[in-house]
Amino acid sequence: MGFYDFRWVMSLFGTAVGAGILFLPIKTGVSGIYPVFFMMIIALPMVYFSHWGLCRYCFGHKGDISDVSREYYGAKVGFFITALYFFAFLPACVMYGVGITNTIISFAQNQLGMMDISRALVVFALISFLMLVMVLKEDLVIRVCEALVYPLCVILLVFSLYLIQFWDFGVFSVEFSWSDFLLTCFFALPILAFAFEHTPAVSTFASSMRRRYGEDKGIEKAKKVLFLNSILLLFFIMFFVFSSLMCLGSDDLAKAKELNISVVSYFAIKLNNDFIGYSAPVIAFLAIATSFFGHYFGAREGFCGLVDKGCELARKPAPKPKVLSRFCDLLFYVLMLVCSYLNPSIIGIIDNLTGPIIAGILFLLPVIGFYSVPSLKKYRNIWADAFIFIFGAVTICTVGFNVIKDFF
């Protein structure tokens, strides 16, 4: 594998590793360590087949997922898919703003002793910094994100290894319950899907492979890149989750969920250890920053696509791209300021918005395309398609069950 391909492996890795991995242990560990082993079994085929399917869905056309869908299904269906694309990534950006705010506040209070720190001031400083970066040249932002991925991998691995000394094998002696196990696995599907997904980068990745290698060689190269990326994600994410859950009990996880902080920030509070205390915010910042920029590009593409396609359907002139992009930045900036201050539940956002909508785009959309669009029929794989479609459908169903569970 050449350097160009390996750069894409790491870029996709950086887009995937974000708030999902930092909150996955909190969601999966509520009934013990055993659900993690189920996650390990399904994670590789889930990640690989879903992104490989979406890559093939996008491979033959220029533009993002909404543009490709418009070519396949027409303007009205394309508009609907663009709306899904937008509403998948906008909540993710909001969630990253909340996550990075809570990480810095937790660090300031518990490691630096700044108990009276103003949330409004922290929110304004952090969101302004993130949005200032976003208005810079896009190529520069992408290069910086690529550079951040390498230290993120190293620190994440070192952190997971460092936790081994705190492992408590008593977690295996906790009474096993099939009902708790199955419910935990079921309700963890949205955050599992979100923890591994790198949907915003797939259309750009597919176009890049096609442009550099041509159609036949490009799709084979893309397949190898996605497989290696899936292996890396499985190792780094699941080892981190396993190592975390070997150190924490259900009471700890409930407390972290209540505080609305990531598992690394909770470790910094619980262990009172200098290495953990200072490495935790670094991990959280790098993970959220690298993933935020990728998802922000996706959200902005979705918003601009909605306006353009809406104007086209209404037969009205669309705003100039630069004006529309700057208006989008301003709108997102205000929204992230407000939401980061209000501090909504991060796990709640993933469970009820981001996770299920991404499941629709990542798992269902390509499979539907393979069996409804003539030019995509060559990509059919009945077993892989069935697995991905069922996984996506079940993930979406968790929203309804969450509503019923909360109601009763």
Side-chain angles (χ1 to χ4, degrees):
M1 177 176 289
F3 179 69
Y4 182 83
D5 296 345
F6 185 72
R7 279 182 59 193
W8 265 114
V9 171
M10 300 310 294
S11 294
L12 296 174
F13 181 95
T15 303
V17 177
I21 179 180
L22 303 180
F23 286 84
L24 184 58
I26 298 172
K27 187 69 176 180
T28 59
V30 292
S31 62
I33 193 74
Y34 296 105
V36 175
F37 295 104
F38 172 74
M39 305 295 175
M40 289 179 180
I41 293 171
I42 68 169
L44 182 60
M46 177 202 76
V47 179
Y48 173 65
F49 286 129
S50 61
H51 289 89
W52 176 223
L54 190 61
C55 179
R56 287 174 292 167
Y57 181 84
C58 297
F59 198 81
H61 300 273
K62 295 180 180 179
D64 58 27
I65 294 169
S66 60
D67 293 326
V68 173
S69 299
R70 184 176 182 275
E71 291 194 39
Y72 289 145
Y73 298 112
K76 292 183 179 179
V77 175
F79 181 82
F80 173 73
I81 293 173
T82 302
L84 286 181
Y85 193 72
F86 171 66
F87 286 110
F89 300 129
L90 177 62
C93 294
V94 169
M95 177 183 56
Y96 289 132
V98 175
I100 203 167
T101 299
N102 291 351
T103 296
I104 298 303
I105 289 177
S106 177
F107 174 73
Q109 291 178 339
N110 295 285
Q111 274 66 55
L112 303 181
M114 301 169 61
M115 302 307 296
D116 296 328
I117 189 168
S118 168
R119 183 175 186 87
L121 182 61
V122 173
V123 166
F124 177 76
L126 288 174
I127 302 305
S128 297
F129 170 74
L130 289 175
M131 294 303 297
L132 179 63
V133 173
M134 289 309 306
V135 300
L136 298 175
K137 191 175 180 182
E138 188 170 313
D139 290 344
L140 177 61
V141 176
I142 293 172
R143 289 195 188 100
V144 171
C145 289
E146 288 177 351
L148 292 177
V149 170
Y150 298 99
L152 173 61
C153 290
V154 174
I155 298 174
L156 194 63
L157 179 60
V158 171
F159 188 91
S160 301
L161 291 170
Y162 188 82
L163 289 178
I164 292 176
Q165 62 186 299
F166 302 107
W167 281 9
D168 177 12
F169 287 89
V171 297
F172 291 102
S173 63
V174 175
E175 184 179 354
F176 180 81
S177 167
W178 273 109
S179 60
D180 290 343
F181 172 82
L182 293 173
L183 285 173
T184 298
C185 292
F186 176 69
F187 285 111
L189 290 180
I191 197 168
L192 179 68
F194 181 71
F196 286 91
E197 69 88 21
H198 35 281
T199 310
V202 171
S203 57
T204 305
F205 165 69
S207 297
S208 177
M209 291 289 108
R210 181 185 176 92
R211 186 169 58 251
R212 186 174 181 88
Y213 297 111
E215 184 169 355
D216 294 334
K217 188 177 179 181
I219 204 155
E220 288 303 313
K221 286 280 190 178
K223 184 177 182 180
K224 293 177 181 178
V225 168
L226 288 171
F227 185 74
L228 178 57
N229 175 64
S230 300
I231 294 292
L232 285 177
L233 284 171
L234 177 66
F235 172 73
F236 278 94
I237 292 179
M238 295 315 299
F239 180 48
F240 170 78
V241 172
F242 178 79
S243 191
S244 297
L245 293 182
M246 287 293 291
C247 304
L248 299 174
S250 57
D251 291 342
D252 293 314
L253 299 171
K255 184 65 174 177
K257 183 178 180 180
E258 179 186 342
L259 294 173
N260 205 24
I261 58 175
S262 68
V263 71
V264 291
S265 294
Y266 186 78
F267 272 124
I269 298 172
K270 178 181 172 64
L271 298 180
N272 195 26
N273 176 289
D274 286 342
F275 175 77
I276 298 292
Y278 287 93
S279 63
V282 174
I283 292 174
F285 183 84
L286 290 177
I288 290 174
T290 54
S291 196
F292 167 77
F293 295 131
H295 284 79
Y296 185 88
F297 285 135
R300 188 162 66 185
E301 277 183 2
F303 178 82
C304 295
L306 272 180
V307 174
D308 286 338
K309 292 173 177 61
C311 290
E312 183 179 337
L313 288 172
R315 301 181 183 278
K316 294 183 178 181
K320 293 181 180 179
K322 190 172 182 179
V323 173
L324 182 58
S325 181
R326 290 295 166 257
F327 175 77
C328 176
D329 291 336
L330 179 61
L331 181 65
F332 283 13
Y333 175 60
V334 173
L335 182 63
M336 288 181 63
L337 282 175
V338 173
C339 292
S340 297
Y341 180 77
L342 294 177
N343 194 24
S345 168
I346 293 175
I347 291 180
I349 293 174
I350 298 174
D351 283 348
N352 298 310
L353 290 173
T354 305
I357 297 175
I358 284 177
I361 296 172
L362 181 59
F363 298 100
L364 302 189
L365 181 62
V367 176
I368 292 171
F370 297 158
Y371 291 85
S372 62
V373 179
S375 62
L376 296 177
K377 290 182 179 180
K378 59 184 177 182
Y379 296 133
R380 290 178 180 177
N381 182 326
I382 186 66
W383 295 111
D385 297 341
F387 171 79
I388 291 303
F389 190 88
I390 292 171
F391 184 93
V394 174
T395 301
I396 293 172
C397 287
T398 60
V399 177
F401 283 95
N402 272 322
V403 172
I404 294 172
K405 184 180 67 172
D406 293 340
F407 182 78
F408 290 101

